[in-house]
Amino acid sequence: MDVAPRDCSDTSPSPRNDDDVHVYCVPYRWWKEAEESTSGTVSDWQGGILYTASPTSSGPMKLINSIFSSDIVFNLRREDDFLQDTQSGEVGISGRDYALVPGEMWLQALKWHNNSKAASKNGRTFLACEDDMSDIYPLQLRLSTPSEDNLLGVRISKKDNATECFRRACKIFSIDSEILRIWDFSGKTTQYFLNDKDKGTLYSQMQVEQDILLKLQVYGLSDSSRNEIKKDEMTGQHPNATSLMINSDSGKFISSFVQSSLPTFGGNTNEAGSLGLTGLQNLGNTCFMNSALQCLGHTPKLVDYFLGDYRREINYDNPLGMNGEIASAFGELLKQLWAPGATPVAPRTFKSKLSHFAPQFSGFNQHDSQELLAFLLDGLHEDVNRVKNKPYAEVKDSDGRPDEEVADEYWQNHLARNDSIIVDLCQGQYRSTLVCPLCRKSSITFDPFMYVSLPLPSTSIRTMTVTVMTTDGSSQQSSVTITVPKNGKLEDLNQALGSLCSIGVDETLLVVEVYNNKIIRYLEDPSDSLSLIRDEDRLVAYRLPKDFTKLPLIVFMHQQMEENNFLGKKTTRWKAFGIPLLASCSIANGSDIRALYLKLVDPYLDPADNMIDNYDIDVSTANEGTTKLEDTSFLESAEGAVTPNKNSLDMHTTTDFNYYRADEKGTGRGSEIEMNEQITCEVLPCRLNVIVCWPENMVARRNTLLLSSLPETYKSGFFSKKPKESVSLYKCLEAFLKEEPLGPEDMWYCPVCKKHCQASKKLDLWRLPEILVIHLKRFSYSRFLKNKLETYVEFPVHDLDLSSYISFKSGDSSNCYMLYAISNHYGSMGGGHYTAFIHHGGNRWFDFD
């Protein structure tokens, strides 16, 4: 029957007349097992009303009705004498006994049965609902009131139901063979049996309308389900009565806010076990809210609480609360998420309440999921705080008393002011120890916590991308990515590059920083720290002979003519482009400069238009101190200098480049270098900066790779590749519990020294909650920089054992946790996206995106 979840603040059995309330028709045996095995939830509902079915007519009239009408028609007689028997459970074990239950009762029973199934399967309890949701189908009945008291007429018509549903109804409500009994726990039928004062009005109305339509949701009464029930009755088997609630003895849950990958995901909500697999619509940058809500919306005991009678615990007098509005909005949202056959929900009402009480979340800006979760947990706690009048409790120091005594005192003081489902599930206790560095005075306090914010240990490695170029014109550049120590030195970078690029014993690497197509820094000191290299810097490593310092180092930078149109007037200027080319060899004059540049630029010219096929200048044999030319255009002298052939001085005069001297920074262009101009380097090592101007016809022949921009040393993009380094969750916890000095802004007043001092602080886990929320502090902030830490965190899924990290050893509680919910953040500080991974039965994880 269409029913919205029943208002749990109303414990009376009277029915609701809302059209949106669901009533389910289920096997009575299935319902009774759950009702008897649960306490404080299903069994709180009052007993049902028993009806027995009988035919409307017999003899010839029955035959006539079957011929002229194919509808199912029978009477239901109210059996008041059996009301007490419904409580004792002595009747109702037949496969022909059904129960009418409201939506909330059905949901509680369904979760209990699925828990029993999971427990018998692998010994673990969980919230997952694995029943076949395809076993639910609608059925419409028409009720009438004959003249006889305590009697209801029932008609199931083909006109009101689908063919398949009607066919199933014929089998379910057949009264020819066995006795058919129905228990009504929904209170829906009591409206037809009013007192004499009101009966006349209702009866008159029904006479006009002829009958009233009753909508049911039939569950568990398909052919296979009925056969299974009968089989259980014959064998006498009963499912184990395992409670849905998970206590600390059998295990605890952990909700972890991390970025991670998990195996075995499912996403088809039409498959079996889809109860609770309902998405939340993104209202505009509300993925942070949806991610946290899905994690809370699949927290077992929290779901049980808010699907039950939570309204009776709303504290309307709490000045720290929100008049129950946040709790009510959250409870209604959970009912929508866990409604059978639910479609994606738009959480507008919840978002409106959230924005009203927390203006920082108003609008549609991006926010932190953990900040929303912290506010929501605190708000829910205050709204359902069972303490109406909070007593004053004086905070006392330990003064040498045993830690157990002091901790219990602090905890009892906390519970005297704070008592709610959130405290029961999500709050633990720290032990905080402060020690004065001067007099060694220690102060021990015990503070409650709702979640644990773990720092990520400092990253020990760094990923860098470097462009490697040859200096002999043999090939084009290539980009390589290496891993070096984060606090390493330049020699670590050179070693990693040398190993990756297979640098020979007679070679070395010269690393430079390139900016605006010019070399602005030479990284030559191997002891320089890599911290001097920023992620946005662009590095180039040139392969050179090992003793390149014995010869001049020639650096070529490229320029081309660029036209600009300003206010309708065309202007031209020379603009730098491309990656500087570099080589080390002996040179004598401008012709040597020209020959060397043509050799280096050869890989970047179109092979079809290559203009230097005849040139072969060897710039890799610096050990010989000579430059070899194998071309009739050039002659090699005995001294190793390069002299041009007079017959080829004018060669390529219309397609050649122009060469100019440049200053040390490569910004200012000096005099043009003539082909016969003598070039000398009096002191070694020396660097000769040359600017090469490209004519238009040569620009057209240039390969675009020479123009390609250099990659940054490290670029973090949206959905960027994970760093190879990883850290375990235990290491994060150890970093959190490590002793450290307080900052200058958090000075502690020492009662012995009578002054503020920079004491050392040590945190210890003293009391762990049943639901442990872990927050990984991925966002780092400094005075000048905001950054997201991309360290990959490894964590156990099934057994997070914190026994060695808790200071107070208690034998009556377990310190092992099982992961069931993750809130993920993708992207960077500037923007990103939140999703949630949820464990939902068996070994299946679902991605809520």
Side-chain angles (χ1 to χ4, degrees), residues 64-104:
I64 294 173
N65 288 338
S66 63
I67 295 174
F68 292 97
S69 176
S70 60
D71 294 347
I72 304 172
V73 181
F74 57 91
N75 289 330
L76 290 177
R77 179 178 298 277
R78 179 171 175 170
E79 305 289 350
D80 294 329
D81 296 338
F82 285 87
L83 288 180
Q84 298 300 324
D85 292 337
T86 63
Q87 303 298 322
S88 64
E90 295 175 357
V91 295
I93 60 174
S94 167
R96 299 279 294 160
D97 295 334
Y98 309 133
L100 302 182
V101 296
E104 289 186 18

Side-chain angles (χ1 to χ4, degrees), residues 594 598 602 605-607 609-615 651-652 655-657 698 701:
R594 177 175 179 267
L598 293 178
D602 181 45
L605 295 176
D606 190 344
D609 299 311
N610 198 313
M611 54 174 284
I612 54 173
D613 291 338
N614 294 326
Y615 296 102
M651 184 180 182
H652 305 300
T655 60
D656 214 341
F657 306 95
M698 290 305 298
R701 299 180 180 180

Side-chain angles (χ1 to χ4, degrees), residues 230-263:
K230 291 184 178 181
K231 180 180 178 181
D232 286 345
E233 292 168 7
M234 294 176 63
T235 59
Q237 296 177 353
H238 297 269
N240 296 327
T242 305
S243 172
L244 170 71
M245 309 298 183
I246 298 182
N247 55 44
S248 57
D249 295 332
S250 59
K252 297 182 180 180
F253 290 111
I254 172 175
S255 176
S256 179
F257 282 69
V258 299
Q259 177 178 344
S260 172
S261 57
L262 289 171

Side-chain angles (χ1 to χ4, degrees), residues 123 125 245-253 301 770 810-816:
T125 57
M245 309 298 183
I246 298 182
N247 55 44
S248 57
D249 295 332
S250 59
K252 297 182 180 180
F253 290 111
K301 286 190 176 182
E770 186 169 341
S810 176
D812 59 348
S813 64
S814 171
N815 299 315
C816 293

